Structures are given as C-alpha cells and as structure tokens.
Amino acid sequence: MKLQGNTFYLSFGMVLFLCLLLGLGSGCVSKQEQQPSAIKVSQSSALYVPQLLERHAMIGTVEEQRKVTNIYSELKAALQVKPEDYRKRLQMAQLCMLEARATGEHGHYYPATLKILDHILIENPPKDVKFGALSLKASVQLSLHEFADAKETAKQAITINGYNALIYGVLVDAHVELGEYEQAVKMADKMVSIRPDLRSYARISYLREIHGDLTGAIEAMQMAVEAGYPGYEETAWAGLTLGELYKKSGALDKAEAQFQGILLQRPHYPFAIAALANVHQKQNLTHQAKAELMQAMEIIPEVSFYIDMAKIMKAEGKTQEVQQMVAEILEMLADDVANGHKMDLEYARLYLELLEQPEKALEYAKRAYEERPENIDVNQLMGAIYVYMDAPHTARPYVEKAARTGKIDAELKKLNETLETS
C-alpha cells in the first residue's frame, strides 16, 4: 500500500454497513443541489453539510452509486432535523472521505470532512464518537501528506481505544512516511494481532517491500486480496498493488493479468486502466497505452494519470503537447495545495523529470526533506536531483540513506551505479 492520494483507510463496505445499520432508506440528490463550493452551512445550526458531487457514470457500479446517494440523502435529512446527532455527523464525514477516494475530488471532500470532524471534536461527544472522529481525521491528514500531524492525532485516538486495528494502521502509514520504519513494523504487528484482514495484510506487504522482500510482499498482498470482498474499491486497490509488485519483480504478464482481473470485478476502475497503460507502454504498445490513459483521465482527475501521459508525449518528442499537459498538471497541483494538500514531492518530480529544471526541483524537494529527513523516497529524490546536477559527492549521502532498508528499486539501483562510476 502506497500513500498517493488514495489509501486504505475506509472501504465502501465499512461506510455502507454503518449507515444501513441505522435502517436508512432511499432518497435522491438533484443536480440543482450540487454547488461548486465545498461546504454548505445549515441555517438551523453551525453544522456543516457538504454537497454530494455527482459521480462520473463509470465510477463504481450503478447499485453502489445509488446506495451512496441514498445514504447521503438520509443523513442530510436526519441532520436537518437533529443537527446535534454526533453519530450521523461522523457517518457524513466517513461518506465524504469515501467519495474523495472514489472520485478523486479531493479539493471538495477533504476540507468538508475536516470541517465536520472539527465541529464534532470541539464539542463533547461520546468517547466512541470522539475516537471515530480522531481516527478519521488522522486518515485525512495522511491523505493531505500531514504525516506528523496524523501521527499525533492517531496517538490521541489510541488513548481512548487501544484495541482498534485501524488506528494502528494509521500509525503504520504515518511512521512509514516519516521514515520511522522500526516503529512502523511494531505498529503493523500490533494491527495484525488485533485483526488479520485486508488492511493489515496490505501494510505487512508494504513493509516487506520496503525491506527488500518482494516475494514476501507478494504473498502478503495475495492474502489481502483474498480477504477482501470482490468488487469493493479497497479490494481493487489491493489487487492493483499486487499487480505493481508483480511488475517490480519483472513479471509483466502476471501484472497485466492482475489488472485485467480487477476490471472484471470492478469495471472502469481508473487506477487499473492506468496501470494497464503503464504495462503496455513498457511493451512498446504506445498507442494502446495512450488510449487507456485518456480513458482513466476522463473518469477521475488523478494527477498521476496526466503525468504519465506527459511522459509518453515527451518520449515522442511532442514538445508543444507536453507544455500544454504540464500547464494542466500545474493547475491541478495548485488546486490541491490551495485545499491543504502538501505536494512538494510531486512538484519536485515534475520539475526534474518533465521540465528538466533541477534547481526548481531541489527547491521543492528540500521542503519535503526538512519535514521527513529519514524517509527513503525523499532521500532518493534528493540524490537523483544532485546526480542530475552532476554533484555526486553531495548526492551520495542521500542515496545511501535511501538504500538503508534494502528496498529493491530500479531507479535507486541506477543511482548507485552512476555514483560508483563517478
């Protein structure tokens, strides 16, 4: 499991179960209700009631979309009658987090989720609701790349309930992103001891990958996929990660079959479509790869899809098209930043890999390094920038730190080879 935009914190099944447990019925949201602003304030109280954006027709099944709409409508109606209902507020926040993950509309849903949660937390909710609010807030903070804050919020939650597996999962992710890998392993062991399921197996897999055990990582991710419900978004995400592990091990055929299998269970899943595009690009099927990326881009506004397309165009020598695509990417990144999302690494990679401006890339990479000096990915990027700038002596400490866990990474291997010959 990797922390880029979407993560394993909430599943559709989890949110749906919580809401249907209350016996919520049907309802609808008209297009007239959908406003561009992220937050709508109810006139009867200070409670924030976010708008539910219309999903792209290809996101999820028709049944899933209908259930999400119905749950939202019933929650909204219930809160208009009883705005002090903490549990329904929390369920609304959970639904917003789910939709952020499913639709890619992070700028709309993350601020909405945080405002709902902050309204809960400044009051005096029951302990179980406070725990849920803190847990969800930590998950949002992770998604916004506020890793240190997420760790502290998760620690607050654990003082209320130290026997919940999901909160230890949040701590695994926070420790990983901060480069605190020993602590991450301890939290993962705690998590799997409480609840061995998709989420805990996925984290065990990622930690094994970080420490160079690709075979063990694949085994754990296979267990994660088998533990999930077919067709659910989180199961598709686990399957996607399994395919990426196959790809890293050099088994492109297995990776392609895995991505195709995801699409049989969850048609039009944009991340699987984009992953297939990457495989086909490696197989020199450029036309097919571009068509698949275009399809994924039409479904959700995921910046990584645009970056992958720009890289293909750059390889084709289409300078003008690359410039147009980069302008769109910069606009998307700026929107994320405006909505509280830290994107320093994304900016750094963009300026290094697409625009070939290492000085500008270094400016952003240093910001990430100041916050996460022990993270191996941050150190690898710092090393790559200095290698590009022909400063091997400056690059070497960063590359050495990036390699300290034994992670198998083709780009890191190239950096080491370059430094050995310099």
Side-chain angles (χ1 to χ4, degrees):
M1 179 208 59
K2 291 192 173 179
L3 297 176
Q4 184 172 348
N6 295 314
T7 42
F8 280 109
Y9 312 128
L10 287 174
S11 70
F12 172 76
M14 184 194 312
V15 177
L16 182 60
F17 173 77
L18 286 171
C19 295
L20 292 182
L21 189 63
L22 300 177
L24 299 178
S26 62
C28 63
V29 181
S30 68
K31 291 185 180 180
Q32 286 76 17
E33 285 184 294
Q34 296 163 2
Q35 303 296 329
S37 59
I39 300 298
K40 177 183 177 182
V41 182
S42 170
Q43 294 181 356
S44 62
S45 74
L47 174 66
Y48 285 107
V49 180
Q51 297 292 338
L52 183 70
L53 299 182
E54 185 176 7
R55 282 189 179 193
H56 189 286
M58 291 185 180
I59 296 177
T61 63
V62 173
E63 179 186 7
E64 179 181 307
Q65 293 184 35
R66 183 172 62 251
K67 287 178 178 177
V68 167
T69 300
N70 291 346
I71 291 168
Y72 170 82
S73 297
E74 293 296 337
L75 284 173
K76 181 179 178 181
L79 287 169
Q80 287 174 340
V81 174
K82 191 178 179 182
E84 69 276 12
D85 191 323
Y86 294 115
R87 286 180 172 80
K88 286 188 174 58
R89 291 197 212 181
L90 181 57
Q91 289 167 18
M92 181 66 83
Q94 290 170 328
L95 190 63
C96 286
M97 186 65 170
L98 165 72
E99 287 300 282
R101 175 183 171 114
T103 67
E105 296 288 353
H106 304 151
H108 177 86
Y109 286 113
Y110 287 154
T113 304
L114 287 176
K115 288 196 176 186
I116 295 171
L117 296 174
D118 286 342
H119 270 82
I120 294 173
L121 291 170
I122 62 174
E123 299 177 24
N124 188 30
K127 282 189 175 181
D128 63 321
V129 174
K130 184 176 182 180
F131 171 80
L134 286 170
S135 300
L136 188 56
K137 182 173 182 177
S139 294
V140 178
Q141 289 170 327
L142 282 174
S143 295
L144 294 174
H145 298 176
E146 297 280 359
F147 303 117
D149 290 343
K151 183 173 76 170
E152 294 308 311
T153 303
K155 285 182 176 180
Q156 291 181 49
I158 283 179
T159 64
I160 300 172
N161 181 358
Y163 301 95
N164 180 281
L166 289 178
I167 196 61
Y168 286 101
V170 173
L171 279 174
V172 172
D173 301 337
H175 283 305
V176 164
E177 292 300 328
L178 293 169
E180 300 164 351
Y181 302 110
E182 290 184 9
Q183 295 94 320
V185 170
K186 292 178 182 177
M187 293 300 100
D189 287 343
K190 181 73 172 177
M191 183 185 187
V192 77
S193 70
I194 296 172
R195 188 180 180 89
D197 63 2
L198 182 152
R199 302 169 193 84
S200 54
Y201 293 143
R203 286 171 170 88
I204 293 295
S205 173
Y206 188 41
L207 287 167
R208 288 178 178 178
E209 180 193 353
I210 285 173
H211 289 89
D213 181 9
L214 265 184
T215 300
I218 289 171
E219 290 175 354
M221 195 57 72
Q222 288 171 335
M223 294 172 68
V225 172
E226 292 168 2
Y229 291 96
Y232 277 15
E233 198 274 345
E234 68 169 5
T235 309
W237 188 265
L240 183 80
T241 309
L242 177 59
E244 293 295 333
L245 289 170
Y246 285 141
K247 192 169 67 175
K248 286 183 179 180
S249 69
L252 280 183
D253 290 345
K254 280 188 175 181
E256 183 174 10
Q258 179 64 33
F259 300 143
Q260 293 283 14
I262 293 170
L263 292 170
L264 290 176
Q265 294 186 348
R266 192 175 177 87
H268 311 299
Y269 186 56
F271 292 97
I273 295 171
L276 277 173
N278 184 265
V279 170
H280 292 146
Q281 178 63 14
K282 289 181 180 297
Q283 295 170 336
N284 295 318
L285 301 172
T286 301
H287 182 73
Q288 185 173 349
K290 290 172 70 174
E292 287 162 340
L293 277 175
M294 284 298 299
Q295 183 183 357
M297 289 161 60
E298 289 172 0
I299 297 172
I300 66 170
E302 168 60 39
V303 69
S304 65
F305 302 164
Y306 288 75
I307 291 173
D308 287 346
M309 181 65 83
K311 287 180 178 179
I312 293 177
M313 290 177 175
K314 183 178 180 181
E316 293 177 327
K318 297 180 178 179
T319 304
Q320 185 174 352
E321 288 88 341
V322 171
Q323 291 175 347
Q324 292 173 348
M325 187 67 69
V326 167
E328 289 188 60
I329 294 168
L330 288 171
E331 185 176 342
M332 294 171 73
L333 292 176
D335 181 69
D336 280 337
V337 171
N339 286 287
H341 202 158
K342 288 189 176 180
M343 305 297 284
D344 292 328
L345 282 188
E346 287 75 10
Y347 271 113
R349 291 192 177 104
L350 178 71
Y351 279 107
L352 180 66
E353 298 170 5
L354 278 175
L355 298 177
E356 299 183 26
Q357 298 178 23
E359 293 81 7
K360 192 69 174 179
L362 186 60
E363 177 185 331
Y364 283 101
K366 281 182 175 179
R367 294 181 190 175
Y369 183 81
E370 288 173 1
E371 294 189 350
R372 300 189 284 155
E374 300 303 315
N375 179 276
I376 57 174
D377 294 327
V378 174
N379 276 278
Q380 182 172 327
L381 183 56
M382 289 286 290
I385 293 170
Y386 280 119
V387 166
Y388 190 97
M389 297 172 70
D390 196 24
H393 296 295
T394 307
R396 187 167 283 109
Y398 295 107
V399 175
E400 289 175 353
K401 187 178 283 189
R404 76 184 192 278
T405 64
K407 183 178 180 179
I408 298 172
D409 184 277
E411 294 301 319
L412 182 60
K413 183 179 178 181
K414 288 181 182 178
L415 287 175
N416 273 309
E417 292 172 351
T418 299
L419 291 175
E420 287 174 0
T421 58
S422 60

